Amino acid sequence: MDVRDLLEDVASLIRSDRRELVCGRVGHEVGHVCLTASGAVELPTVVARFSRRYGQLRNLVMGGYADPKVTGRTGLPLLAPFGGELAEMRGWACGDRWIGCGAVRVGDGVQVVVLVAERDAPPAEEPPEETVRVVPPRRGTRSDDRRPWVRRVLDLTGWEPLGLSVDWATVEEELGVPLPEDYKELAEAFGGGVFSESVYFMGCGAGVSFDLPAQWRAGLSAARDGTYGSVSAAGPYDEYTPGGKGVVTWGSTEWADQYCWLIDAERPGHWSVLARSHDPGHWYRYDMSTAEFLHRVLADADFLPFGIARYDLGATFLPGSDGRPL
């Protein structure tokens, strides 16, 4: 298979409606499916293409050495089928599936392999409506707390603002609409990266995996192509196109929750947050700022279904370029 075939087959396996994955390789147990790349395919090329589509990766095996801290929650199902044969393995979490790209030792060489494995994702509490409008909650917030929401995120994580310089005029010219001011403050302070080891935040100019314009272009291209089906926006909202109405994704989680803005070029300055849990379907619409939504996700255990504080992951931030190269 070439890289395009691998992407298409992985997209099909992710959309397999929770059917059990059964591998055709002799000696491999159920719970995953292996795909073999053609001899001409190189691992860095495969990893780069999958990173553009599925975001931040995990380095599970490098130079034949597996991460000793890897668990079932962080990608162990991608290693289990191969034992000590693995030379390299990168992984992505996508809802109730793991995606892996690696290299397996074969004789004196290595063979590139791609696999999809089953994954336990946090349960979602979904409402009966297609889209639910949510009134900003007051719980989890002191009434006397006058700090701006960006400052609350900084204080929560203990992060020292980077003060990045971003050419917002160029970014906004491409999109055809202005971006939220508090998002721009977040992007300048944090760049792109991972909160609490699980919440991915898109900055600008932060490398392909964490660059909002690059990810938007990739999603728009995939929506126009249609070859792989939808891996981001889905009805009733389309991917935003300049001059139109649709969604732009600014964040996600390792279990495939999706955080977006609903953009209408005819109403610039209106930035409702749309969020969808890892089982694609119902959307929640929040009339609150990006920074407030992000803070509540990280700090408010009662902010259901998206609050992650109930998982005791801690309030941390890791820049996208730290320790996780593509």
Short mmCIF file of all heavy atoms in Angstrom, two decimals, residues 226-250:
data_model
loop_
_atom_site.label_atom_id
_atom_site.label_comp_id
_atom_site.label_asym_id
_atom_site.label_seq_id
_atom_site.Cartn_x
_atom_site.Cartn_y
_atom_site.Cartn_z
N GLY A 226 -13.12 14.54 -0.08
CA GLY A 226 -14.14 13.53 0.25
C GLY A 226 -13.65 12.11 0.16
O GLY A 226 -14.38 11.17 0.46
N THR A 227 -12.38 11.89 -0.21
CA THR A 227 -11.88 10.53 -0.39
C THR A 227 -11.89 9.74 0.91
O THR A 227 -12.23 8.57 0.94
CB THR A 227 -10.44 10.56 -0.95
OG1 THR A 227 -10.45 11.26 -2.19
CG2 THR A 227 -9.91 9.15 -1.16
N TYR A 228 -11.50 10.40 2.01
CA TYR A 228 -11.35 9.68 3.27
C TYR A 228 -12.54 9.84 4.20
O TYR A 228 -12.50 9.41 5.34
CB TYR A 228 -10.08 10.20 3.99
CG TYR A 228 -8.85 10.15 3.14
CD1 TYR A 228 -8.09 11.29 2.93
CD2 TYR A 228 -8.46 8.97 2.52
CE1 TYR A 228 -6.96 11.25 2.13
CE2 TYR A 228 -7.34 8.92 1.73
CZ TYR A 228 -6.58 10.07 1.54
OH TYR A 228 -5.48 10.03 0.75
N GLY A 229 -13.59 10.47 3.73
CA GLY A 229 -14.70 10.76 4.62
C GLY A 229 -14.32 11.89 5.55
O GLY A 229 -13.28 12.52 5.41
N SER A 230 -15.16 12.18 6.51
CA SER A 230 -14.93 13.30 7.41
C SER A 230 -14.24 12.82 8.68
O SER A 230 -14.66 11.88 9.31
CB SER A 230 -16.27 13.97 7.79
OG SER A 230 -16.06 14.95 8.77
N VAL A 231 -13.13 13.46 9.02
CA VAL A 231 -12.46 13.17 10.29
C VAL A 231 -12.48 14.39 11.19
O VAL A 231 -11.86 14.40 12.23
CB VAL A 231 -10.99 12.73 10.06
CG1 VAL A 231 -10.96 11.43 9.33
CG2 VAL A 231 -10.21 13.81 9.30
N SER A 232 -13.16 15.44 10.80
CA SER A 232 -13.25 16.62 11.64
C SER A 232 -14.68 17.08 11.71
O SER A 232 -15.50 16.51 12.40
CB SER A 232 -12.33 17.72 11.11
OG SER A 232 -12.62 18.00 9.75
N ALA A 233 -15.01 18.10 10.94
CA ALA A 233 -16.38 18.64 11.01
C ALA A 233 -17.36 17.70 10.33
O ALA A 233 -17.04 17.01 9.39
CB ALA A 233 -16.42 20.01 10.34
N ALA A 234 -18.58 17.67 10.84
CA ALA A 234 -19.63 16.86 10.22
C ALA A 234 -20.96 17.57 10.45
O ALA A 234 -21.07 18.46 11.28
CB ALA A 234 -19.66 15.46 10.84
N GLY A 235 -21.99 17.16 9.70
CA GLY A 235 -23.28 17.81 9.80
C GLY A 235 -23.73 17.99 11.23
O GLY A 235 -23.38 17.20 12.10
N PRO A 236 -24.48 19.06 11.47
CA PRO A 236 -25.00 20.01 10.49
C PRO A 236 -24.02 21.12 10.11
O PRO A 236 -24.40 22.05 9.40
CB PRO A 236 -26.21 20.60 11.21
CG PRO A 236 -25.79 20.62 12.64
CD PRO A 236 -24.97 19.35 12.83
N TYR A 237 -22.76 21.04 10.55
CA TYR A 237 -21.81 22.11 10.30
C TYR A 237 -20.71 21.65 9.35
O TYR A 237 -20.09 20.60 9.57
CB TYR A 237 -21.18 22.59 11.61
CG TYR A 237 -22.21 23.03 12.63
CD1 TYR A 237 -22.49 22.24 13.74
CD2 TYR A 237 -22.92 24.21 12.46
CE1 TYR A 237 -23.44 22.63 14.67
CE2 TYR A 237 -23.88 24.61 13.39
CZ TYR A 237 -24.13 23.82 14.48
OH TYR A 237 -25.08 24.19 15.39
N ASP A 238 -20.45 22.43 8.32
CA ASP A 238 -19.37 22.14 7.40
C ASP A 238 -18.10 22.86 7.83
O ASP A 238 -18.13 23.75 8.66
CB ASP A 238 -19.75 22.60 5.98
CG ASP A 238 -20.93 21.82 5.42
OD1 ASP A 238 -21.02 20.60 5.68
OD2 ASP A 238 -21.76 22.43 4.74
N GLU A 239 -16.97 22.45 7.23
CA GLU A 239 -15.73 23.18 7.45
C GLU A 239 -15.89 24.60 6.92
O GLU A 239 -16.46 24.82 5.85
CB GLU A 239 -14.58 22.48 6.72
CG GLU A 239 -13.20 22.83 7.22
CD GLU A 239 -12.83 22.08 8.49
OE1 GLU A 239 -13.30 20.95 8.68
OE2 GLU A 239 -12.06 22.65 9.29
N TYR A 240 -15.41 25.56 7.69
CA TYR A 240 -15.55 26.96 7.29
C TYR A 240 -14.76 27.25 6.03
O TYR A 240 -13.60 26.84 5.89
CB TYR A 240 -15.06 27.88 8.40
CG TYR A 240 -14.92 29.32 7.98
CD1 TYR A 240 -16.04 30.13 7.83
CD2 TYR A 240 -13.67 29.86 7.70
CE1 TYR A 240 -15.93 31.45 7.43
CE2 TYR A 240 -13.54 31.18 7.30
CZ TYR A 240 -14.67 31.97 7.16
OH TYR A 240 -14.54 33.27 6.75
N THR A 241 -15.38 27.97 5.09
CA THR A 241 -14.70 28.47 3.91
C THR A 241 -14.80 29.99 3.92
O THR A 241 -15.82 30.54 4.36
CB THR A 241 -15.34 27.93 2.61
OG1 THR A 241 -16.73 28.27 2.59
CG2 THR A 241 -15.18 26.42 2.53
N PRO A 242 -13.76 30.69 3.48
CA PRO A 242 -13.79 32.16 3.51
C PRO A 242 -15.03 32.72 2.83
O PRO A 242 -15.40 32.31 1.74
CB PRO A 242 -12.51 32.54 2.75
CG PRO A 242 -11.59 31.39 2.99
CD PRO A 242 -12.48 30.17 2.98
N GLY A 243 -15.69 33.61 3.54
CA GLY A 243 -16.91 34.22 3.03
C GLY A 243 -18.17 33.45 3.35
O GLY A 243 -19.27 33.92 3.07
N GLY A 244 -18.03 32.26 3.96
CA GLY A 244 -19.19 31.42 4.24
C GLY A 244 -19.46 31.25 5.72
O GLY A 244 -19.13 32.13 6.54
N LYS A 245 -20.05 30.12 6.08
CA LYS A 245 -20.37 29.79 7.46
C LYS A 245 -19.96 28.36 7.73
O LYS A 245 -20.24 27.47 6.93
CB LYS A 245 -21.87 29.97 7.73
CG LYS A 245 -22.29 29.69 9.17
CD LYS A 245 -23.78 29.94 9.37
CE LYS A 245 -24.21 29.68 10.80
NZ LYS A 245 -25.65 29.95 11.01
N GLY A 246 -19.29 28.14 8.86
CA GLY A 246 -18.86 26.78 9.19
C GLY A 246 -17.99 26.79 10.43
O GLY A 246 -17.94 27.78 11.17
N VAL A 247 -17.29 25.69 10.66
CA VAL A 247 -16.49 25.54 11.87
C VAL A 247 -15.00 25.54 11.56
O VAL A 247 -14.56 25.11 10.51
CB VAL A 247 -16.85 24.25 12.63
CG1 VAL A 247 -18.30 24.26 13.08
CG2 VAL A 247 -16.55 23.00 11.81
N VAL A 248 -14.25 26.07 12.52
CA VAL A 248 -12.79 25.99 12.53
C VAL A 248 -12.39 25.37 13.87
O VAL A 248 -12.80 25.86 14.93
CB VAL A 248 -12.14 27.37 12.37
CG1 VAL A 248 -10.63 27.29 12.62
CG2 VAL A 248 -12.40 27.94 10.98
N THR A 249 -11.63 24.32 13.83
CA THR A 249 -11.22 23.62 15.06
C THR A 249 -9.99 24.30 15.66
O THR A 249 -8.99 24.52 14.98
CB THR A 249 -10.89 22.15 14.75
OG1 THR A 249 -12.05 21.51 14.22
CG2 THR A 249 -10.44 21.42 16.01
N TRP A 250 -10.08 24.63 16.95
CA TRP A 250 -8.95 25.24 17.65
C TRP A 250 -8.40 24.35 18.75
O TRP A 250 -7.33 24.63 19.32
CB TRP A 250 -9.32 26.60 18.23
CG TRP A 250 -10.49 26.59 19.18
CD1 TRP A 250 -11.79 26.84 18.89
CD2 TRP A 250 -10.46 26.31 20.60
NE1 TRP A 250 -12.58 26.74 20.02
CE2 TRP A 250 -11.78 26.42 21.08
CE3 TRP A 250 -9.43 26.00 21.49
CZ2 TRP A 250 -12.11 26.21 22.42
CZ3 TRP A 250 -9.75 25.78 22.83
CH2 TRP A 250 -11.07 25.89 23.28
#
